[in-house]
Amino acid sequence: MDWMLKDLATGVPQTRHVIVLSSDGLRMAQHGPDTDAADRLAAACAGLQSLSTAVATEFPHGDGHMRLVVIEVSGGFFYMMAAGPGAYLAVLADDDVDTGLMGQQMRDLVARIGEHLTSPPRVSGPVT
């Protein structure tokens, strides 16, 4: 899956890091030079996903699911998009990234490979 993430990173200039993670914060795939940073970001995304889902439940006509989170900070943008049951796509980009292009490319990637980005729930006990 890493090559598909590379396509997103190279297709949107100023992209720093692309990660696919499970809802419990485990990195499943990445494009970017720093694995430790990807692991830290994936862990932080678990909390952000939980928070955004809690906010989503406050909309009475919504489905209670987080679809997209965008955070602008000094120096850049963070994006996190639901990418399949239990899986998310997260991107770090510099502050001069084309935000519209990033959103479009992320949606296109999720649409193309969404079913492959599913992270099944972990179960305890013997596997049958």
Side-chain angles (χ1 to χ4, degrees):
M1 185 180 325
D2 292 354
W3 67 270
M4 291 182 270
L5 304 183
K6 180 181 179 184
D7 285 348
L8 173 64
T10 57
V12 182
Q14 309 307 322
T15 300
R16 294 180 146 274
H17 220 115
V18 182
I19 313 167
V20 174
L21 61 128
S22 65
S23 60
D24 57 355
L26 295 176
R27 176 181 47 85
M28 297 164 55
Q30 78 168 48
H31 175 75
D34 189 346
T35 301
D36 289 338
D39 287 339
R40 286 190 306 273
L41 187 60
C45 286
L48 185 57
Q49 176 273 327
S50 179
L51 176 64
S52 61
T53 298
V55 170
T57 63
E58 296 302 317
F59 291 88
H61 301 293
D63 61 7
H65 293 99
M66 180 279 289
R67 292 192 184 115
L68 174 68
V69 172
V70 180
I71 299 174
E72 182 179 5
V73 297
S74 178
F77 289 89
F78 165 78
Y79 303 85
M80 184 171 70
M81 180 178 283
Y88 298 88
L89 176 63
V91 177
L92 287 179
D94 292 333
D95 59 1
D96 53 350
V97 69
D98 181 334
T99 58
L101 179 60
M102 179 62 78
Q104 176 187 0
Q105 293 294 329
M106 288 178 70
R107 281 189 302 275
D108 290 350
L109 177 60
V110 167
R112 281 194 331 256
I113 60 171
E115 70 259 11
H116 303 293
L117 297 179
T118 299
S119 175
R122 292 177 211 350
V123 294
S124 59
V127 177
T128 57

